[in-house]
Every structure is written in C-alpha cells, then in structure tokens.
C-alpha cells in the first residue's frame, strides 16, 4: 500500500471525465494519496494530456485516454488500455458531466431523452461491464458522481437526474452482486459546485437572483468546491471505506435535507 496506506499500490484509478473541473480535482486528490491515475477525454485531448503530464511530475504515473460514451466498444478498449499502461485497474470513478438543456418534462423531446440516456446511463453501463473483471481481480471499487437533484428534484432537471437516478440503482446492484468478489460500489450525490460547467453557466445563464436562491436552498448557505467533492470520492476509493458499499453520500451543503 502507498499514499498513507489507504489506496492500492498496483494498478490505476480511472477517472472518467478527468479532463473536467470535478474530474481533474478527483484525479489530483487520488494522485496526492499515492495512486496512479488514468484520465479520459472525448473532445479535450489537449487538456487531459496536459493534466496527466502535470500529475505525473509528482512521481506517480498518469495517462490520458480517449473515450466515446456512445460507443460500447470504446469502453472495453479504454479498460484494456488502462490495464496495459498501469498493470491493472483498482478504481473506476465516473465523473462525466455532459452539458444538457433544462426543459420541463412536458417540453422534453424524445430525441433529448434518448440522448441523455444513451450518453450518461448507457455509457456508464458499458464502462461497468467492461471494468468488472479487472475490479474483481483487484478487489477494487466504483465511485459514481450523481446529483443532489435525484433526492430533491428541481423543476427542469429531468435530463440530468433521470439518468443519474438509474446510475444510483445500477451502483447498488453492482454492490449487491459483486460484493462476494470484494468489489465495492458507491455514489456521491453532488450539489452546486463552483467548478467546471457551473462556472460557465454562472457567467452566461444564471442570474444573481438564481444564485442567491440556490445558496439559500442549502443548509450551509454556500456552494461547494471541487476539492470537497474530491475528498469524499478519494475516501470512498480507499481502504478507509473498506466496509462501505451500496451507499450514496450527499455532498450538497444540505440541499437535499
């Protein structure tokens, strides 16, 4: 064991969506604890490779790999590439966050619904299926980022929370079925975090009134940080959470209360 003795010393932690704000913070946190890390990219190859290079300067191997969540074969190619580059896979972190629109359910088209399910839910399913053999061998874990909106619905959020609710169900299923092989699976339900896509929307979409209302909707009266989410994800991936599986931890400042 390395990194304080709580993360495996062989193989890698794969952070899907590692080129984004939350994913990048999670990858950095895992590296700081001593894990080798693999990141994925779909469009932002330059950003993913730059982050991998920066993380690699800390002495732990870090690599960047392409992934198309809409292509089932891409998931298997990714898992094979990570195992080859790092000698195995001990953690799968799903931190992908595709940009979506926010129509009411009555205004949601069949095409919008299908796209949300195909990218997020089906993409996660293909990754899990491809990763399970490696995770069994490592007695590893899955940590999937979900949304606080699954537990306290906000109007117009259906394209985000419906796939994530199904992801939470899939994670519980993996925890139940794969626990006999030593595989754990958990979720982190994320609230409003000042990172990644939120920073862009803050400049272009969200009004000051919306931001004030969002803060008042949290018990802590503030937004979260990427580092706060990364700390919980790293905990769930570590030996400190060795008897914790099938759970969803809300990192939302008390929004879902």
């Amino acid at each position: 064991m390395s990194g304080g003795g709580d993360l495996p010393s062989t193989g890698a932690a794969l952070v899907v969506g590692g080129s984004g704000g939350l994913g990048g913070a999670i990858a950095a946190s895992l590296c700081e604890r001593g894990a080798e890390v693999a990141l994925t990219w779909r469009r932002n190859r330059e950003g993913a490779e730059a982050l991998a290079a920066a993380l690699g300067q800390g002495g732990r191997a870090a690599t960047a790999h392409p992934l198309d969540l809409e292509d089932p074969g891409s998931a298997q190619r990714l898992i094979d590439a990570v195992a080859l580059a790092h000698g195995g896979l001990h953690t799968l972190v799903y931190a992908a966050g595709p940009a979506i629109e926010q129509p009411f359910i009555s205004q949601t088209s069949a095409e919008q619904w299908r796209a949300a399910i195909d990218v997020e839910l089906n993409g996660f399913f293909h990754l899990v299926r491809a990763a399970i053999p490696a995770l069994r061998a490592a007695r590893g874990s899955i940590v999937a980022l979900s949304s606080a909106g699954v537990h306290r619905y906000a109007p117009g959020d259906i394209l985000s929370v419906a796939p994530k609710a199904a992801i939470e169900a899939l994670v519980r299923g993996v925890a139940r079925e794969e626990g006999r092989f030593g595989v754990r699976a958990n979720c982190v339900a994320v609230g409003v975090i000042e990172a990644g896509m939120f920073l862009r929307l803050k400049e272009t979409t969200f009004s000051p009134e919306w931001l004030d209302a969002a803060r008042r909707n949290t018990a802590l009266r503030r937004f979260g940080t990427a580092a706060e989410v990364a700390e919980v994800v790293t905990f769930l991936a570590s030996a400190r959470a060795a008897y914790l599986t099938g759970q969803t931890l809300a990192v939302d400042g008390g929004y879902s209360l």
Side-chain angles (χ1 to χ4, degrees):
M1 304 294 284
S2 62
D6 56 14
L7 287 171
S9 59
T10 58
L14 169 60
V15 183
V16 176
S19 62
L22 277 178
I26 291 166
S29 177
L30 290 165
C31 268
E32 288 170 4
R33 301 309 200 282
E36 295 189 9
V37 172
L39 316 173
T40 69
W41 56 269
R42 184 177 185 184
R43 297 184 179 91
N44 188 17
R45 177 174 184 173
E46 183 177 342
E49 291 181 343
L51 177 58
L55 294 176
Q57 292 176 0
R60 303 297 295 175
T63 56
H65 306 264
L67 172 65
D68 182 354
L69 287 170
E70 297 180 79
D71 175 9
S74 184
Q76 187 62 63
R77 291 191 294 272
L78 169 65
I79 299 302
D80 292 344
V82 171
L84 180 63
H86 295 273
L89 173 71
H90 60 72
T91 302
L92 170 62
V93 177
Y94 187 72
I100 58 169
E101 299 176 83
Q102 290 188 303
F104 285 177
I105 295 170
S106 61
Q107 300 166 339
T108 301
S109 69
E111 291 74 19
Q112 288 173 309
W113 177 264
R114 188 177 302 110
I117 297 298
D118 282 347
V119 173
E120 284 216 73
L121 177 56
N122 292 344
F124 179 66
F125 170 75
H126 297 313
L127 282 165
V128 168
R129 282 196 62 193
I132 279 177
L135 294 176
R136 285 178 176 176
R139 299 181 70 84
S141 70
I142 296 171
V143 184
L145 295 194
S146 180
S147 169
V150 172
H151 308 281
R152 181 181 174 185
Y153 182 76
D157 212 19
I158 192 63
L159 293 177
S160 173
V161 302
K164 289 181 175 64
I167 285 171
E168 288 194 12
L170 182 56
V171 164
R172 289 193 297 273
V174 170
R176 182 63 173 165
E177 294 177 359
E178 298 299 320
R180 56 186 166 163
F181 301 106
V183 177
R184 298 182 299 107
N186 295 287
C187 289
V188 176
V190 178
V192 180
I193 305 299
E194 293 199 88
M197 191 185 311
F198 172 78
L199 296 179
R200 296 191 295 272
L201 294 173
K202 186 177 179 180
E203 296 296 325
T204 62
T205 304
F206 297 146
S207 68
E209 293 76 17
W210 186 96
L211 294 169
D212 287 342
R215 289 189 187 92
R216 290 196 302 272
N217 270 329
T218 67
L220 295 180
R221 297 296 194 270
R222 68 172 178 86
F223 300 143
T225 68
E228 289 169 328
V229 175
E231 187 67 27
V232 176
V233 171
T234 302
F235 163 72
L236 289 173
S238 75
R240 292 171 291 163
Y243 203 53
L244 199 162
T245 193
Q247 304 303 306
T248 297
L249 301 186
V251 183
D252 63 2
Y255 170 81
S256 55
L257 295 174

